[in-house]
Amino acid sequence: MGGIIGYPSERLYEEVAFIAFYFHWSREDILNLTHAERLRWVNEIMRLR
């Protein structure tokens, strides 16, 4: 009870793979983004598809 809930690692892998696939950014570059920035880029890519 009261533990810290982290972002699901499976979802993080999906976001990194998705952005890397479309933008060819490195894993390190993508992981340096904040969660909000990463999600924003995922949404921008989705709009382009």
Side-chain angles (χ1 to χ4, degrees), residues 13-26:
Y13 277 103
E14 288 173 359
E15 290 174 3
V16 171
F18 190 73
I19 295 170
F21 180 80
Y22 283 98
F23 287 169
H24 307 283
W25 293 354
S26 73

Side-chain angles (χ1 to χ4, degrees), residues 3-16:
I4 297 173
I5 298 173
Y7 196 65
S9 62
E10 192 63 34
R11 180 71 182 148
L12 178 60
Y13 277 103
E14 288 173 359
E15 290 174 3
V16 171

